[in-house]
Amino acid sequence: MAENIQDNELQEEGKGKRSYSKKFSEEEVNAIVAKAVAEALAKAQASQPQTVVQVAQDEYVTILYIGANAEGTTVAMPKWGQITYPGGMIDVPKKEFMQGLGIPVNTALLRERKIIVVSGLTDAEKMRFGVEYKDGELLTTEAFFSLIGYDTEKICGIFAHLCDEHKRTVAKLYMTAYFDKKDNRINREKVKALNELSKTVEKDGLFTPILEDMNANDL
């Protein structure tokens, strides 16, 4: 190609036309070739249809901690992260959630329903991993934070449908409110009604310690 350019004859306009040959340097030849290649590539790219590639977002599993641990306690879950307060929720990448399923700590939290899977799993996966829940058998976050203040009728209506694990959670929350916080919203009528309902879980009822203390102190 360089020889063709070097031998190219150029004509100069004037009083008369005369022809002459111009010799191009190697640098000039390379520049001309590079420019031609760039223009050809640009034309080729312009003629191609534009393709938009969409990358799927990572899938996450949202988990909720429902427990009666002491304030300031951190719940550490290998592969899943940690939750620092009851009622806390975190999003876990689905791959990491799957990897953490066989770890004893995580398995126990799911089995005891202290960790609840809120979203991110298919129905088949929920059944496979034992996190398929029935309506009303779990405490909602609203109920978890408000149950001490509910009147007898409302708390008993909720409590009657809870699974055994969450009935135990309610009992622990009442114990903490009564013995540690001296919460005056814990009254005999409410505790007695809850204790009767809890006898399906434990023979003498889950709230017996509170009733015994009330009897001892004539409350």
Side-chain angles (χ1 to χ4, degrees), residues 164-207:
D164 289 354
E165 291 80 4
H166 277 215
K167 285 178 179 177
R168 293 183 187 278
T169 296
V170 172
K172 289 177 182 177
L173 290 170
Y174 265 68
M175 298 281 189
T176 299
Y178 179 80
F179 289 108
D180 298 342
K181 299 181 179 180
K182 311 300 181 184
D183 196 315
N184 58 17
R185 292 175 296 177
I186 308 297
N187 58 61
R188 177 180 289 273
E189 176 192 5
K190 193 185 300 185
V191 174
K192 187 175 181 180
L194 287 170
N195 198 60
E196 284 299 316
L197 291 173
S198 70
K199 287 181 179 179
T200 58
V201 181
E202 191 168 302
K203 181 180 179 181
D204 295 328
L206 298 171
F207 299 81

Side-chain angles (χ1 to χ4, degrees), residues 47-171:
S47 65
Q48 295 294 324
Q50 297 296 315
T51 302
V52 177
V53 179
Q54 294 183 347
V55 180
Q57 295 182 347
D58 291 338
E59 293 183 80
Y60 286 87
V61 176
T62 301
I63 57 178
L64 164 70
Y65 176 66
I66 295 290
N69 289 16
E71 293 183 7
T73 300
T74 297
V75 180
M77 301 165 290
K79 295 290 184 180
W80 297 351
Q82 60 183 30
I83 296 179
T84 57
Y85 60 93
M89 285 195 298
I90 58 173
D91 292 325
V92 182
K94 194 166 184 176
K95 287 183 179 179
E96 294 181 18
F97 179 82
M98 297 297 187
Q99 292 170 355
L101 284 172
I103 299 175
V105 172
N106 297 344
T107 301
L109 288 170
L110 287 174
R111 184 180 62 251
E112 296 168 4
R113 295 187 169 184
K114 292 181 178 179
I115 287 295
I116 304 302
V117 176
V118 177
S119 63
L121 296 180
T122 65
D123 291 342
E125 288 168 337
K126 290 176 182 178
M127 184 178 297
R128 177 184 173 189
F129 304 133
V131 292
E132 190 178 29
Y133 313 121
K134 298 177 181 177
D135 290 342
E137 70 172 350
L138 301 179
L139 284 168
T140 63
T141 50
E142 179 185 355
F144 181 82
F145 288 110
S146 306
L147 56 85
I148 301 296
Y150 287 157
D151 60 29
T152 303
E153 182 180 357
K154 186 166 186 176
I155 186 57
C156 286
I158 293 171
F159 188 87
H161 298 94
L162 294 176
C163 64
D164 289 354
E165 291 80 4
H166 277 215
K167 285 178 179 177
R168 293 183 187 278
T169 296
V170 172

